[in-house]
Amino acid sequence: MHEIFINYRTKGGKPFAYRCHDVLTNRFGEDSVFLARKSIAEGTDFAEALLRGARDCRVLLALIDEEWLNTPDRRQPDRRALDNPDDWVRREIEEALASGAVVVPLLIARKEQLDARTLPHSIAELAHCQYARVDHATLAADLNRLADSLVRRIPALAALDRARDAVSDDRQPESGVHTDHQSGGIGNVGGSVGTFVNEAHAPFHTGRGDIYGGPHFSGDGANYVAGDNHGGIRQGFGTRTPRGGDER
């Protein structure tokens, strides 16, 4: 089933409908957006396909430009196309409204909102549906803003939203150990590496063996004084020296 149905009048609306189709299929996938020339297979009963598509969709976008309301009927130019009960634009909107689909008037560079008094009774409700404005120069941004709103309202569209999937992928935690811009510190690395010290600024001992990077201690004993020594160091080994004099 196509979630979004693009309703447009061939005269004047076809190029814009194709652009809408491209933007929305990039967002929701080819099989989620119905456009008559692209979605109806050769040999299919197009009348049945159009009405079923409008009836089964979750969202119908009615593309409305400045000429939409008063476009003349091709067979009877003295009347509006909308006044013809067999007008496809009108019939598709009728089906979507009757099915309970979300119907969005998409005003293309049009300043005036629709007036129910100027519409056939069967689609007068269209004038009360909240519209969205789009412009040729900002079409992609306008449609994606509309799509954001529809995704929040319609779970079936949210499940198909590629933009949401892209954001989720960006937020996935990465595995491994990273030390970008790290200065100093101690960390643990899995495997046989053990404990590592990054940028140690003093002698540091993490296990058995000699200390490197500072004084080297070996033998039976030694004294080590760091910094200035003002009092001297007295140390003896073997026979104890008597008080008051040196050993002779």
Side-chain angles (χ1 to χ4, degrees):
M1 181 183 72
H2 294 86
E3 309 293 333
I4 301 174
F5 188 102
I6 299 178
N7 168 269
Y8 68 99
R9 194 167 295 287
T10 303
K11 183 179 179 181
K14 183 177 178 180
F16 201 85
Y18 274 69
R19 291 180 63 196
C20 289
H21 180 269
D22 290 343
V23 172
L24 294 172
T25 54
N26 285 337
R27 179 83 182 251
F28 299 108
E30 186 78 26
D31 295 333
S32 300
V33 185
F34 186 100
L35 184 69
R37 293 293 182 92
K38 289 180 173 287
S39 304
I40 301 178
E42 293 80 357
T44 303
D45 184 329
F46 77 90
E48 180 183 349
L50 285 172
L51 296 178
R52 184 176 63 250
R55 185 184 311 120
D56 294 342
C57 73
R58 298 183 186 275
V59 180
L60 181 139
L61 301 180
L63 274 56
I64 300 174
D65 59 13
E66 291 291 349
E67 306 298 326
W68 181 87
L69 185 64
N70 296 312
T71 298
D73 189 349
R74 288 184 296 178
R75 295 185 179 180
Q76 297 185 33
D78 59 334
R79 72 172 180 180
R80 300 185 310 172
L82 281 177
D83 292 329
N84 181 358
D86 293 327
D87 177 52
W88 280 111
V89 170
R90 172 176 167 173
R91 293 181 68 184
E92 291 165 6
I93 294 173
E94 288 172 346
E95 290 290 335
L97 289 172
S99 71
V102 175
V103 178
V104 181
L106 210 57
L107 306 185
I108 306 170
R110 178 188 172 92
K111 296 181 180 180
E112 295 181 3
Q113 301 178 31
L114 293 174
D115 186 336
R117 295 170 297 181
T118 65
L119 299 174
H121 178 72
S122 61
I123 63 169
E125 183 183 346
L126 183 64
H128 301 292
C129 296
Q130 181 60 42
Y131 62 88
R133 294 189 184 275
V134 292
D135 191 86
H136 293 276
T138 57
L139 176 64
D142 294 340
L143 284 177
N144 277 306
R145 188 160 45 248
L146 172 61
D148 291 341
S149 174
L150 294 173
V151 161
R152 290 191 291 268
R153 297 174 57 189
I154 303 172
L157 278 180
L160 298 169
D161 189 8
R162 294 176 177 178
R164 184 193 64 172
D165 293 340
V167 171
S168 297
D169 290 343
D170 289 342
R171 292 177 179 173
Q172 289 295 322
E174 298 181 12
S175 60
V177 178
H178 300 272
T179 58
D180 296 342
H181 308 297
Q182 178 178 329
S183 178
I186 302 175
N188 290 323
V189 180
S192 60
V193 177
T195 302
F196 70 90
V197 180
N198 188 28
E199 295 186 18
H201 299 291
F204 190 87
H205 195 211
T206 63
R208 291 178 293 179
D210 295 336
I211 299 177
Y212 295 95
H216 185 189
F217 296 89
S218 62
D220 294 334
N223 284 338
Y224 171 68
V225 178
D228 297 332
N229 176 28
H230 300 288
I233 298 174
R234 180 169 296 180
Q235 176 176 286
F237 296 92
T239 305
R240 182 176 179 180
T241 302
R243 292 178 181 271
D246 296 333
E247 184 181 8
R248 300 292 182 186

